Amino acid sequence: MKNHFLWIFLLLLHLQSIGQSTKKPVIAFTFSEETIRVDGLLNEAGWQQSDSITTLGMVEPIENGAPTYNTTVKVLADAKNIYVGITCFDTQPGAIVAFSKARDSELEDEDYLKIIFDTFNDGRNGYIFAINPFAARYDALVSNNGESENSNWDGPWDAKTSINTNSWSAEIRIPVSTLTYNKKLDSWGFNVERRIQRLLEVNRWSGISMDYKVGQTLHAGSLSNVPLFNSGIGLTPRVSLTGKLTQDGTESANYDLKPSLDITQRITTDITAQLTVNTDFAETEVDSRQTNLTRFPLLYPEKRQFFLEGADIFDFGISLGRSLMPFYSRRIGLYNNQEVPINWGAKVNGKVNNTYFGGLVTQTGDVNSVIPSSKMGVLRVKQNILKESSVGMITTIGDPGNRNNAWSGGIDFTYQTSTFGGNKNFLIGVWGMYANREGLDGDKSAVGFKIDYPNDLWDWFVQYRRIGDAFEPSMGFVSRNNISTYSAKVAYMPRPENRVIRQHQFRFSPSLTTDLNHNWESYELSFTPINVSLESGDNFSLNFAPSGEFLKDSFYIAEDVTIEPGAYHWSSFEFEASTASKRAVNGTAAYRCGGFYGGNLDQVELQLNWRLMSFLILEFSYENNIARIPAGDFSKELLAVRTALNINSNLNFSLFTQYDNESESVGSYSRLRWTFAPLGDLFVVYKHNIQPKITDKWRQDQNQLIVKLTYGLAL
């Protein structure tokens, strides 16, 4: 058996070695003694003298085709900053699709420029900066070796744009203190991507393949002549003062004033340490409510900035998704949906040679002697091996409820290549974890593997997971234990040569879950015979899914509705249509119908986006689940409305209101953010919740007004 694995591994190495070898394009830094004014106009002398990228290559709709419009890119540097100047030629500037102005806007559905820096030049990680014609800024960290982006990361940088008669241009300034990098290198990985939304066209400088994503920095070009930057002493202190005025129900309002301190210290250019004291996350947006029609807990995303900085290092395994995480940072500072104060936290992350590492430790306070104070920590180490692969470990210690002897550990190995059989992506990942804590008895382990072939024409995977009955990591997340899960997907996605259809997708996704004694618990066979993306940007799909559940215990699904144990089998149909986001009014509609626990379930989901003006956007979403089953009839509704008023990329206001008929409460969250300096922000937040009394009259549940001022300096 060992010889079989050895031969397989040698075969993979051989297939990787015969991949296409292409020479990387190169652009050089130009050092500028001149002060560059970031105004969107590339009129300083340094821009005229700098090295240039004169055109990009088309990725979509025709791979390696000639771009409809040219794009020029230039890169300057002074002692402390990196400047990128880009000119996007377009003979119809009035037809440019741009509507976002707020910081951290998702720009995928409009014209944008995206630049990537691989500051360790190892083809595995990187920084992503994107901007649209209205100067809305988006930044992210390359995650999962370029397969995804951690868009919650925020770094200090600035950009301005200008729309002209035959082009739009962008001028970007990135303080070198924003980046971690290897100061011994004289070249970095670098790439540029431009999207022309009305044409659904994507152009890129390097890695021109529909199978590759721009975040796969192994296929980036080279940015040479990296200067010896002056990072100063590498210290960035940020002081915040938060005032809160809170009123619960009819009680008297109370006021709280809280200072906090965040310090970032660059130990070396590639190692960064952070300290937070008396931490406050008052400006963090509330969670969007979710409907749960299962017996398993839901996962909510992390939004707090301290935990998002360097979060990519804690990625574990491949494609574990939303059902299993060895480290889930929301375990810190939140306990049973109640906020817990964080007295202090410290973290360090960086790279030494080919080893990435990250560590985090926090101390939480107690809450009215009900939730005890607790110290928690996590350590992650990942070693680069071969060309794109890695092996790593993760360990956590501590428990949110301060239960004794709480720790967990895991190891993972990922073989990855983007030159499989020539120029295709291929991954094999294996992982194992163990969790321990006072009160856990049984199988505390979890193991799994995945073989993945994620490419444009064919996309398939096979996956297996085994999760013990006592696997409950104190600082992780697992939606379901005591199971073995077998899952797969095969998708064939041809691109016909016509003027109507951009791409078809035919997909089959089976999954089977058993208990550890191999007795079936659930299954699903998902068929997608129709999924069509049109050249207009519109999309429609049809899905059919036979499913089944075997319940060993009853579970509560809605008020006065409990589903009893037994075997249930049903089938469901889904139709979904979405209109192109390039339109001022666009949206998505989905309708599902079919069986559900011995009865029927009808589901409707609607989403509408309306750009009333260039600075005013309205988003509406609605979901209704109507069940008629033997256990009882019920409906679950969600309604949410978001209004965004974006004066510019540094001044914006949003109002988010949501209602669900399960809690019967209306919650609103409004936030004004003014970024008055690269490290200075003023937040004004108002939270308001109301719910009905038995008499059907609405009563006030909670009001809270928050004002937070934060300011920092890069020293």
Side-chain angles (χ1 to χ4, degrees), residues 71-86:
T71 307
T72 62
V73 183
K74 303 181 179 185
V75 185
L76 299 179
D78 59 25
K80 294 187 176 182
N81 300 284
I82 298 167
Y83 301 91
V84 182
I86 306 178

Side-chain angles (χ1 to χ4, degrees), residues 258-263 274-281 306-307 332-333 340-348 359-366 373-378:
K258 179 181 179 180
S260 58
L261 175 65
D262 293 274
I263 298 175
Q274 292 177 269
L275 174 68
T276 180
V277 179
N278 207 24
T279 314
D280 183 87
F281 303 108
F306 174 75
F307 295 105
I332 303 172
V340 179
I342 298 177
N343 295 338
W344 59 267
K347 64 192 301 186
V348 61
L360 168 69
V361 62
T362 61
Q363 174 71 59
T364 61
D366 66 337
S373 63
S374 180
K375 185 176 292 184
M376 291 169 278
V378 58

